[in-house]
Each structure stands twice: as structure tokens, then as C-alpha cells.
Amino acid sequence: MAVALAAQLREGTKKSHTMAENTGFVSCFLKGVVDKLSYRKLVADLYFVYEAMEEEMHRLKDHPVLAPIAFEQLDRRQALEEDLTFYFGADWRNQVETSPAAKEYVARIREIAQSSPELLVGHHYTRYLGDLSGGQILKTIAQKAMNNPTDDGLHFYVFPQIEDEKAFKTTYRSAMDELPIDQPMADRIVEEANHAFHLNMKMFQELEGNLVAAIGKVLFGFLTRRQRTGSTEEPVAA
Ligand code: HEM
């Protein structure tokens, strides 16, 4: 028996969505305060998360609850690899490591993929529908903030195999509504999606620390320069 999962997920994660939007890192990002070092750490975190999710989704592609939403057009791993090559160079694999928050996120994906694969729907929804919803805006913000007019380092936001993102989201929501699940399973998927939001927030909070440190460094440099020169110039906001 199918249930209206799409609407339940949207309603059931509204609060988490608002909380995620309001984390320091995300709201700084929205204001165009993007430090390249923090940003490339985010790209590395996302790489590990999508690598785990896509490996598990491909492995479970015939699972009756996962097969209807296992759209390969959504895959982000290759795009993230290209972005990592841009930020870290060709030997990026030797340079990036999983942050504690990304490690916890990956561990959760691997765990449920073994114990209760249906719950992967909550993770899939949280990331891909979010990516399809905010992608273009976030790409433009990142491009401006990092002074990068090209797509280099920003392939994550581009879905070359999806022509119309809005139409695709409608297809995705219809597929979710047809999943062969009952209401107790729908409840568990919504709960897991909220957990996925929480894991994303943890990743952002970790990066927030890096961002604050980067801003602090710039400010410290400015103040020490000012002390040396005796200038009374005001610091310029980022
Ligand atoms: C940068 C801050 C963010 C902004 C401005 C933003 C904006 C939006 C907007 C406008 C929509 C509605 C699109 C539509 O109705 O078709 C949306 C949907 C969505 N966003 Fe975000 N978002 C943000 C951050 C996030 C984050 C951090 C996540 C999760 C990691 C996320 C996950 C989602 C999901 C899953 C949806 C689909 C909701 C649904 O229709 O069921 N968003 N977002």
C-alpha cells in the first residue's frame, strides 16, 4: 500500500529545513561570505557522503523501495571528483580526509544500508531534492564570492542530464508517492530524513569553526598591520 510520502517528508522536515538554513555557515554562505578553504572542505565532506550514498544505492538498485528513486541522473560523485581536482589538484585523494562530522554521516548511511535499506530514502530525499532546489542560487553565490566566473570547482551544482529541474522534482515526488511502504515505514523515513538534516547541520557547524578562524585570521592580520602603521582605517566587512 502506497502512502503520500512526498508531502509527509516536506511537512515533517520543515522545522529541520529552517534550522539548517539558519546555521552560521549556511547563512554566511547565503550572504556571500565564502572562504575558499572552508568551501573546499565542504566539497570534500560532501564527496565522502555522496560516495557512500551512491555506492549503497547502486548496490541496492533492485531493492523494491529504492529502485523507483534510484535515478542515476542525480549522481554527484563524478562532479565532486572534478571539483576536488580543481581545489586540491590531481592528487586530491592523498590530501583530503573525512572530517569527524562527515565520518558520522557516512557511518549512518552504511549502517542503515545494511540494517534497514528503506531508510536510505530519507537521506536520498534530503540531499538530492535540496540540491535540485537550491543549486542554481548557491552556485551563483559561490561563483561571485570566490570570484570565479567559470564552472570550475562548481560542477556539484550542475546536473547535465537533467534538463528541467522543476519537472524532475515532480517526477521524483510522484515516484516517492508510489513507493511500496506502509505508514509506520513512512514515519521512520521522515524521522531518518530529520536525522539526515541533523547530520548536515553538524557538518556545517564544523565548517563554521573553520570560517570563524579564517575571518579571525584576516582581522588579526588587519589589526596588527594597523598597529604597526598607526592607521585608524576601519576593517572592511567581508
Ligand atoms: C542555503 C540555504 C537554503 C535555502 C535558501 C534553501 C531553499 C529551498 C527552497 C526555496 C526550497 C523549495 C523548492 C521548491 O518548492 O521546489 C527548498 C527545498 C528543499 N531543501 Fe532547501 N534550502 C537551503 C538549505 C537546505 C539544506 C542545507 C538542505 C539539506 C541538507 C535542504 C534540503 C531541501 C529539501 C530536501 C527540499 C525539498 C522540500 C520538498 O519540497 O519536499 N535545503 N530549499
Side-chain angles (χ1 to χ4, degrees):
M1 183 191 62
V3 295
L5 182 62
Q8 293 190 44
L9 274 167
R10 175 178 252 184
E11 276 308 305
T13 57
K14 246 184 188 160
K15 233 172 152 178
S16 293
H17 190 275
T18 308
M19 280 164 70
E21 273 182 77
N22 289 330
T23 54
F25 181 78
V26 174
S27 47
C28 275
F29 194 96
L30 284 180
K31 289 185 191 111
V33 182
V34 185
D35 152 62
K36 206 168 177 176
L37 284 181
S38 306
Y39 184 73
R40 69 178 200 170
K41 278 202 170 97
L42 172 66
V43 177
D45 279 350
L46 290 175
Y47 175 76
F48 293 113
V49 169
Y50 282 90
E51 178 190 46
M53 190 154 61
E54 289 170 9
E55 271 178 14
E56 297 299 346
M57 286 297 292
H58 292 176
R59 187 176 65 78
L60 293 158
K61 64 181 189 317
D62 296 324
H63 188 287
V65 175
L66 299 175
I69 58 158
F71 298 102
E72 290 194 354
Q73 304 95 301
L74 290 171
D75 284 358
R76 301 288 74 209
R77 190 172 162 179
Q78 198 192 328
L80 285 162
E81 285 177 358
E82 286 170 34
D83 290 348
L84 287 170
T85 305
F86 175 76
Y87 291 113
F88 292 91
D91 71 334
W92 62 268
R93 278 177 205 276
N94 297 321
Q95 295 196 47
V96 297
E97 54 181 38
T98 332
S99 73
K103 224 175 243 172
E104 187 184 344
Y105 198 159
V106 167
R108 180 66 187 167
I109 289 171
R110 299 285 189 199
E111 181 196 333
I112 57 165
Q114 291 297 328
S115 63
S116 202
E118 298 86 346
L119 298 185
L120 277 177
V121 175
H123 286 270
H124 201 270
Y125 159 82
T126 301
R127 280 300 337 174
Y128 293 112
L129 224 56
D131 298 336
L132 288 170
S133 301
Q136 279 316 304
I137 304 170
L138 299 181
K139 182 182 163 205
T140 309
I141 293 174
Q143 258 173 333
K144 274 194 193 148
M146 290 189 282
N147 219 351
N148 173 8
T150 69
D151 276 356
D152 292 340
L154 299 160
H155 289 285
F156 173 66
Y157 300 109
V158 185
F159 290 87
Q161 294 181 60
I162 297 176
E163 237 172 72
D164 180 343
E165 292 176 359
K166 205 168 168 215
F168 191 88
K169 282 201 293 189
T170 306
T171 306
Y172 186 95
R173 288 192 183 106
S174 307
M176 283 202 298
D177 285 345
E178 295 300 322
L179 295 180
I181 55 169
D182 56 14
Q183 189 54 45
M185 180 51 78
D187 292 342
R188 288 182 65 201
I189 291 172
V190 173
E191 194 184 325
E192 189 63 31
N194 279 303
H195 189 48
F197 269 97
H198 175 73
L199 291 166
N200 276 279
M201 278 184 261
K202 276 188 132 172
M203 240 163 43
F204 300 144
Q205 276 153 6
E206 212 172 55
L207 292 165
E208 214 171 285
N210 292 317
L211 186 60
V212 170
I215 293 170
K217 233 182 192 167
V218 172
L219 201 60
F220 180 75
F222 171 83
L223 291 173
T224 47
R225 262 198 323 277
R226 196 162 77 145
Q227 228 169 26
R228 273 202 304 273
T229 59
S231 160
T232 52
E233 176 197 351
E234 287 296 322
V236 183

